[in-house]
Amino acid sequence: MAEKRIIAAGETADVVARLKLRMIEEALPLWSGPGWDSAAGGFVDRLGLDGTADTTAPRRVFVQARQIWCYAKAAQMGWYPDGRAVALKGLEHLLARAKAPDGRPGYVHRLTPEGAVLDARRDAYDHAFILFALAAVYSLDQDAQVRAEIDALLAFLDGSLRSPHGGVHECLPVSLPRRQNPHMHLFEAMIACFDATRDLSFQNRAGEFFALFLANLYDKQKRILTEYFEEDWSKIEPVSVEPGHQAEWVWLLKGFERITGCPTGQRRAELLATALRYRDEATGCLVDEGDAEGNVRRGTRRLWPQTEMAKAWIAQAESGEAGAADEARAALARLERHYLSHPVRGGWYDQFDRDGKSLVDTIPASSFYHVLCAVTEAEQVLE
């Protein structure tokens, strides 16, 4: 607990301003500079530890979508003058390369660095982030073509991915196990689509995922969100509990409450209390995985759960919970101290073992969405 007190006392006062500056001056230029493949087009999937682009790594389509979202969001916040242009350039590449290149509807899963199809699966998680990116771009200009892409993606979800048991199939071809994760991000995307369009149909779509959360994803007795399921939504035992996802749902449930008026305070409080059971004693950071009884199953700690813990506390601060703003700043200070203190300006460490040794020898682009989202939320609520 000593380290947590030191962070709370010494590093939290202006952490939001510091992180905002880090995004504007370091991360956004990095991922639109070395992070953009000026020869083949598209965002690179990762950088080396020296900050140079790994142009040989396959391009995961959800990463392309996340980067588009980052630059559209930065433009929306007024943080980055080139944000809109970078987002539109990224979207143009995504539509040209990943959308139905084989003549079948939907987006493919992975591309080669040159932009050819590497994996033609239609993955639900990918489509959630593409929809999320489209919503962010649409929010900038209300462009009719972008809205048409949103509607086409929704038609694909409705026509090809819906499961008769509720929710969506993991991918096409259909595979098991089912996961809560794609459904969580589709929930996020529907909230974002409502914010961008004010179309009430997105409230209803978000409501379907909220109902799925209450009926199948969340165990009300044990107060845990579980990860893996059979086709009929029966839980796969022993259940896996990811603390980062408990925290992420706190923030998402606050978003759902904001757009619908549906109260979510009880479930948010329960999820946050569950997430806090799975912390690394030395740093206060969330670990990667636990079991249903509150024991740590994997003591490694990724970057992204720390951003989600910050967002959970930000959501509670927005709801007026006493002390939540201080907890949010402390979570952001832990993120800054342990993960963002990288020698590459605008880079990060992605995962540590329980002894604090870095386990990933690259800087993955996939983490930018998590970091930028936490900082923009902090700017809007805490400042």
Side-chain angles (χ1 to χ4, degrees), residues 118-191:
L118 185 62
D119 186 336
R121 273 178 297 176
R122 270 49 173 179
D123 182 271
Y125 185 88
D126 296 344
H127 284 76
F129 278 104
I130 296 163
L131 186 58
F132 191 56
L134 288 167
V137 174
Y138 184 77
S139 72
L140 297 177
D141 303 317
Q142 282 72 50
D143 184 275
Q145 283 182 289
V146 176
R147 179 59 200 259
E149 295 296 347
I150 290 173
D151 292 338
L153 196 157
L154 293 171
F156 171 71
L157 289 177
D158 291 342
S160 300
L161 274 186
R162 273 191 184 272
S163 164
H165 297 282
V168 296
H169 293 299
E170 190 72 19
C171 62
L172 295 178
V174 176
S175 69
L176 292 174
R178 303 188 78 176
R179 296 183 299 155
Q180 76 78 26
N181 204 6
H183 296 85
M184 177 181 72
H185 288 297
L186 282 165
F187 185 49
E188 178 180 31
M190 298 309 171
I191 294 169

Side-chain angles (χ1 to χ4, degrees), residues 55-111:
T55 55
T56 66
R59 308 283 164 85
R60 294 173 292 175
V61 166
F62 85 85
V63 173
Q64 301 296 311
R66 284 187 179 189
Q67 300 297 75
I68 293 164
W69 178 87
C70 286
Y71 286 93
K73 184 67 176 181
Q76 188 183 25
M77 297 289 289
W79 285 11
Y80 199 59
D82 296 334
R84 178 180 174 276
V86 175
L88 291 174
K89 180 171 65 170
L91 181 58
E92 182 181 12
H93 179 80
L94 179 74
L95 293 171
R97 296 295 189 174
K99 184 191 175 189
D102 50 8
R104 293 182 289 124
Y107 293 75
V108 298
H109 184 48
R110 282 197 305 166
L111 302 169

Side-chain angles (χ1 to χ4, degrees), residues 370-381:
H370 289 286
V371 177
L372 188 77
C373 188
V375 180
T376 56
E377 287 295 299
E379 161 83 354
Q380 290 168 291
V381 175

